Amino acid sequence: MSDPVKTIVVVGAGTMGSGIALTAAQSGLRAVQIDLSAAQLDKARGYHTKQLARLVEKQKMSAEDAAAAASRISYGADFDAFKDADCVIEAASENPQVKKKLFRAFAETFASDALLATNTSSISITDIATATGARASQVIGMHFFNPVPVMKLVEVIRGLATSDESVARTLDLARAMGKTPVLANDRAGFVSNRVLMPLINEAFYAWMEGVAEPHDIDQIMVLGCNFPMGPLRLADFIGLDVCHDIMMVLYRELGDAKFFPCPKLRQLVTAGRLGNKTNLGVFDYSPKA
Ligand code: NAD
């Protein structure tokens, strides 16, 4: 049996990767934040500093603990320098080619017993694992939710070749990060996005067909269905490009037209209106708004 995970290399420093690295560091683990983009690494570092300062301000964490958590995170452009880590969590773009290329490199880089996890929202774990050859038993889906420091769920997905040991290690790791892991099987979108994405897509159709304005669509779902946030606001929060890419995986894999992204969603993505991360999506998040 392998030891519990102590150091996680997090590949991708965007919305999810930055949250995973912060949560790991807050839980006493070492985290290495990797991204190709220096700007994204800077943004992640700024986010970590701000979040930890906020916890100190709210007296939810001592200044010493916040400083210790910050010191457990390192940043870099290349994971080659961290090959002794016992776990890697990939949180790069939702694109099968990007992920398979990364997993091929992971199998060549990390120790023979390292856990190779992906935060994919929809792509087959079995398919990603094919890129690792003989290491497929160590590949697993570890699907965190946004914002990672707040959301309790981790959807854990085993591929066809994932070993019982990798599942047990992942469940332990999720719990060590203060999360509640729940198992799902390896079908496109697993449970969460298979159920959520058609709802978001339908909200875009309701907007496009003039059934109601975005604010009213969201308010109806919040007040009428007791949702904490409307589907259009949630789509902005997830990232409209990420929603689009997840829907395309669901459409291709499950072959059902209901998953094909609504033209209104596609139009916003084409225009670069990606939601909170660009300050403009369905709604306007710029300071002036
Ligand atoms: P994002 O666009 O905010 O960030 C992706 C980051 O990956 C970018 O910083 C990009 O520079 C980096 N990247 C791309 N290719 C890379 C490579 N080869 N090496 C290193 N870095 C690379 O995306 P996100 O919202 O953080 O999503 C990341 C993953 O998490 C996706 O698979 C997504 O489906 C999944 N996910 C997203 C959410 C969400 O709410 N946004 C929730 C759960 C899971």
Side-chain angles (χ1 to χ4, degrees), residues 14-16 35 40 91-94 99 119 121 143-144 146 238:
T15 311
M16 296 305 290
D35 206 292
Q40 285 291 88
S93 319
E94 187 70 352
K99 292 196 190 291
N119 186 49
S121 305
H143 184 206
F144 291 84
N146 184 20
I238 293 170

Side-chain angles (χ1 to χ4, degrees), residues 196-247:
L196 175 63
M197 286 301 148
L199 173 82
I200 287 179
N201 213 22
E202 212 49 48
F204 275 96
Y205 275 109
W207 177 22
M208 190 176 82
E209 291 171 12
V211 182
E213 288 304 308
H215 177 267
D216 293 334
I217 292 171
D218 272 10
Q219 216 184 5
I220 286 166
M221 299 309 287
V222 168
L223 299 179
C225 302
N226 222 5
F227 286 7
M229 186 187 281
L232 295 172
R233 174 82 184 78
L234 179 58
D236 273 351
F237 195 62
I238 293 170
L240 299 188
D241 54 337
V242 176
C243 291
H244 173 275
D245 292 349
I246 296 170
M247 286 180 202

Side-chain angles (χ1 to χ4, degrees), residues 84-286:
D84 293 335
D86 38 21
C87 172
V88 55
I89 301 179
E90 172 274 321
S93 319
E94 187 70 352
N95 174 312
Q97 278 74 44
V98 170
K99 292 196 190 291
K100 285 169 94 165
K101 191 170 170 206
L102 279 169
F103 273 76
R104 204 165 295 125
F106 294 166
E108 287 162 8
T109 305
F110 294 104
S112 60
D113 60 350
L115 192 61
L116 311 176
T118 170
N119 186 49
T120 180
S121 305
S122 58
I123 300 168
S124 160
I125 307 306
T126 305
D127 188 28
I128 293 173
T130 58
T132 67
R135 305 280 296 269
S137 65
Q138 292 155 262
V139 178
I140 194 156
M142 197 172 184
H143 184 206
F144 291 84
F145 289 73
N146 184 20
V148 181
V150 175
M151 299 294 281
K152 284 283 168 207
L153 177 65
V154 174
E155 202 176 21
V156 174
I157 307 103
R158 72 184 298 165
L160 194 62
T162 311
S163 67
D164 290 344
E165 184 182 347
S166 297
V167 173
R169 266 185 116 191
T170 306
L171 297 177
D172 286 348
L173 173 59
R175 292 188 188 108
M177 291 173 75
K179 304 298 178 198
T180 304
V182 180
L183 287 163
N185 285 323
D186 190 20
R187 285 283 279 160
F190 322 122
V191 173
S192 51
N193 282 308
R194 184 172 183 156
V195 175
L196 175 63
M197 286 301 148
L199 173 82
I200 287 179
N201 213 22
E202 212 49 48
F204 275 96
Y205 275 109
W207 177 22
M208 190 176 82
E209 291 171 12
V211 182
E213 288 304 308
H215 177 267
D216 293 334
I217 292 171
D218 272 10
Q219 216 184 5
I220 286 166
M221 299 309 287
V222 168
L223 299 179
C225 302
N226 222 5
F227 286 7
M229 186 187 281
L232 295 172
R233 174 82 184 78
L234 179 58
D236 273 351
F237 195 62
I238 293 170
L240 299 188
D241 54 337
V242 176
C243 291
H244 173 275
D245 292 349
I246 296 170
M247 286 180 202
M248 286 307 293
V249 173
L250 285 162
Y251 172 67
R252 273 192 227 107
E253 291 297 317
L254 303 176
D256 191 327
K258 76 178 175 200
F259 294 112
F260 193 75
C262 170
K264 190 79 188 165
L265 169 61
R266 297 205 323 265
Q267 188 184 39
L268 294 190
V269 173
T270 304
R273 286 173 58 166
L274 306 183
N276 296 54
K277 62 185 163 189
T278 55
N279 275 337
L280 187 63
V282 177
F283 301 104
D284 186 352
Y285 304 92
S286 61

